[in-house]
Amino acid sequence: DPNSIRMRMFRDMANANYDVHMMETVGQGEKCVDIQLAVEMLHYATVPNAYDVAILLSGDKDFVPALVRTRQKGKQLCISSMRAGCNRVLYESPHIRDYDVVWLESCLDELIVPIPAEERSRRDRAGYASVFTMMRVLRDFVEALPNNEWVSSRDIGTYLKSIQIADSNMLDELKQSHGGLRTF
């Protein structure tokens, strides 16, 4: 759902220049998110000036080898987790982190701050569809054309206008959030 809190969070992170990786999974199988996070942490540990401190928001001990190697690359590490979900090795082993563990339940009052009603209504109006969603809609539209038929920006605009999003349509959302199809 492009209007979900999770999708809005992803959009906000991307707009703040964070690398956001979206994965689609089929069925109930393993998603390999922990592997992806470990690979990213190690990759960026080798990129000059990419980061100084890695903050792992997990309590999973499967990260220990990646944490050790990341520290060997000269990066500092901080672990943040809920106490009940954190494996003991992460807070009892001094060689895998540079800071005390940040226990999330101790910080919830500071982390979860109510958004004033005025700000909520402004946010609710803006950006119903993420860039990811818009790109998928455009890709699906182009791929559905017979025989790789050429498509004009007018055709795309007409199609996007036909997709309703709350009290608006996808074309208007694209114009509001990105200035129009040309700048998108």
Side-chain angles (χ1 to χ4, degrees):
D1 175 18
N3 298 325
S4 71
I5 292 171
R6 176 178 287 192
M7 292 306 294
R8 288 182 185 182
M9 177 189 70
F10 291 152
R11 279 195 306 273
D12 289 345
M13 290 174 70
N15 290 338
N17 292 322
Y18 286 93
D19 286 339
V20 177
H21 300 271
M22 309 259 311
M23 295 174 43
E24 283 192 38
T25 58
V26 178
Q28 301 294 322
E30 175 69 33
K31 294 183 239 59
C32 299
V33 172
D34 51 353
I35 299 298
Q36 184 179 4
L37 288 172
V39 167
E40 291 291 312
M41 183 171 37
L42 282 169
H43 166 73
Y44 283 110
T46 64
V47 174
N49 302 315
Y51 70 85
D52 297 317
V53 179
I55 302 172
L56 177 66
L57 290 145
S58 176
D60 190 339
K61 73 177 182 178
D62 290 347
F63 284 101
V64 169
L67 297 174
V68 170
R69 292 292 185 188
T70 299
R71 287 189 77 223
Q72 288 173 348
K73 298 289 181 196
K75 302 301 179 181
Q76 294 182 333
L77 279 154
C78 177
I79 297 168
S80 184
S81 179
M82 300 294 275
R83 276 187 201 274
C86 189
N87 189 283
R88 291 175 51 171
V89 72
L90 294 175
Y91 56 86
E92 290 182 353
S93 300
H95 67 282
I96 58 171
R97 58 186 167 73
D98 298 285
Y99 301 92
D100 289 337
V101 175
V102 176
W103 299 114
L104 290 173
E105 58 266 33
S106 301
C107 307
L108 289 179
D109 290 338
E110 295 156 27
L111 293 172
I112 302 173
V113 179
I115 299 171
E118 178 182 298
E119 176 68 10
R120 272 197 322 268
S121 74
R122 185 188 67 75
R123 288 183 184 184
D124 286 346
R125 177 62 222 125
Y128 278 104
S130 68
V131 171
F132 179 77
T133 300
M134 288 185 194
M135 291 300 292
R136 290 194 70 183
V137 166
L138 290 173
R139 183 200 67 199
D140 292 347
F141 172 66
V142 171
E143 286 181 353
L145 294 172
N147 303 324
N148 294 325
E149 184 178 313
W150 283 93
V151 62
S152 70
S153 59
R154 177 172 290 201
D155 294 332
I156 292 172
T158 301
Y159 178 69
L160 292 176
K161 192 167 187 121
S162 72
I163 300 173
Q164 291 299 303
I165 300 176
D167 61 344
S168 184
N169 63 67
M170 191 167 278
L171 180 61
D172 289 343
E173 290 298 317
L174 187 135
K175 287 177 181 177
Q176 182 178 359
S177 59
H178 299 286
L181 190 55
R182 182 181 302 260
T183 55
F184 178 71

